[in-house]
Amino acid sequence: VDHMVDGVGLVHQMPFTCDRDGFAATFEKIYFGTVQARIYLCADLLGIVCHTGMSCLVRRNILESAGGLGHFGRYLAEDFFIAKAVTDSGYRLTVSSQPAWQNSASQARLTRWAKLRVAMVPTTILLEPLSECLVVGAFASWAASVLFHWDSLVFYLVHILVWFLCDWILLSIVQNGSLPFSKIDFVVGWIFRECTGPYLFFHALWNPAIRWRTRVFKLAWGGVAQEVPLEKAKFVTA
């Protein structure tokens, strides 16, 4: 509530995970405390809509002027379009200092989010893979080799090390306390996340339909959801 000042139309929270046991919980915390946090905070800094609707505070008059909550019912990512309506009304978005704690986030959920990002912001198809450590590092090391005749392998390894250390620092800041796993667990989880990240993204591109509870939807460009009969969507898993 303290963040809802004049000029701010919506206050939202960055998603994060509660402390739990097991490798899956470690993987989720690493994802939300590094990749998701980096994208979320950078987008907020640059004024890009990055709102996730699990917890937010929005001005009622903005919703009413946009047609009410029912107006956003045709979207699976209604949170994104609510935030867009806020910015279109001349208000700003701001992130709360308290993250939104959640219990779990499955692979299917992460894949679904990727599908939504692609449908709503098509430039994601090109830009998101270039935000991955291993991918951008490969391009950067090649460029350093061509332009400066540096050893591409050494450059690549240093790049990964610096990225790894920055992710550890960012995760520690977001956690705002001691992490519930060891540094070895972080190394293993971080490597697994970095290696599987591109796979999840391209899997989302290959199969754009989304299963939401007992129903399946196909997203049109712009994020409008169209329901697909179950008999035609038996291979959809996310």
Side-chain angles (χ1 to χ4, degrees):
V1 176
D2 292 339
H3 294 80
M4 184 62 83
V5 297
D6 292 340
V8 173
L10 186 148
V11 180
H12 55 114
Q13 293 179 282
M14 185 180 72
F16 196 46
T17 58
C18 298
D19 294 348
R20 295 180 295 116
D21 296 328
F23 179 75
T26 299
F27 174 82
E28 291 165 2
K29 187 171 284 287
I30 290 172
Y31 173 82
F32 281 96
T34 59
V35 180
Q36 180 73 13
R38 183 168 58 248
I39 295 174
Y40 211 87
L41 296 176
C42 288
D44 179 69
L45 178 65
L46 297 174
I48 300 172
V49 174
C50 59
H51 168 233
T52 58
M54 63 184 66
S55 178
C56 67
L57 185 66
V58 61
R59 293 186 185 272
R60 182 175 179 178
N61 64 299
I62 299 176
L63 283 179
E64 291 178 343
S65 63
L69 286 175
H71 171 73
F72 302 97
R74 57 181 176 157
Y75 303 110
L76 282 181
E78 74 288 342
D79 45 7
F80 173 86
F81 291 98
I82 289 174
K84 192 172 185 302
V86 171
T87 57
D88 290 344
S89 299
Y91 287 89
R92 294 183 292 108
L93 311 178
T94 189
V95 179
S96 171
S97 56
Q98 173 66 40
W101 297 87
Q102 55 186 334
N103 289 321
S104 65
S106 64
Q107 175 178 314
R109 185 182 183 189
L110 300 182
T111 304
R112 183 171 70 247
W113 284 3
K115 295 176 182 181
L116 290 170
R117 290 194 298 272
V118 168
M120 294 181 298
V121 187
T123 51
T124 300
I125 297 174
L126 176 63
L127 297 179
E128 185 158 330
L130 295 179
S131 69
E132 293 286 346
C133 171
L134 301 183
V135 176
V136 72
F139 282 108
S141 60
W142 171 78
S145 175
V146 172
L147 296 176
F148 306 110
H149 304 290
W150 293 349
D151 189 301
S152 58
L153 178 59
V154 172
F155 186 96
Y156 191 55
L157 294 177
V158 171
H159 160 83
I160 293 175
L161 176 61
V162 172
W163 195 293
F164 170 83
L165 294 175
C166 289
D167 273 353
W168 170 263
I169 294 171
L170 177 59
L171 176 59
S172 300
I173 293 173
V174 176
Q175 177 73 9
N176 195 28
S178 59
L179 291 166
F181 46 78
S182 67
K183 291 181 175 63
I184 296 299
D185 291 334
F186 175 76
V187 171
V188 175
W190 186 87
I191 292 174
F192 184 75
R193 210 303 310 170
E194 294 301 326
C195 292
T196 58
Y199 162 76
L200 291 177
F201 180 75
F202 287 112
H203 174 67
L205 289 180
W206 181 259
N207 184 11
I210 292 178
R211 180 178 294 276
W212 179 250
R213 297 180 181 175
T214 60
R215 304 166 70 184
V216 176
F217 298 88
K218 184 176 181 180
L219 293 176
W221 294 117
V224 177
Q226 301 171 345
E227 188 168 1
V228 178
L230 287 177
E231 59 271 14
K232 295 183 179 180
K234 59 182 178 179
F235 297 111
V236 178
T237 58

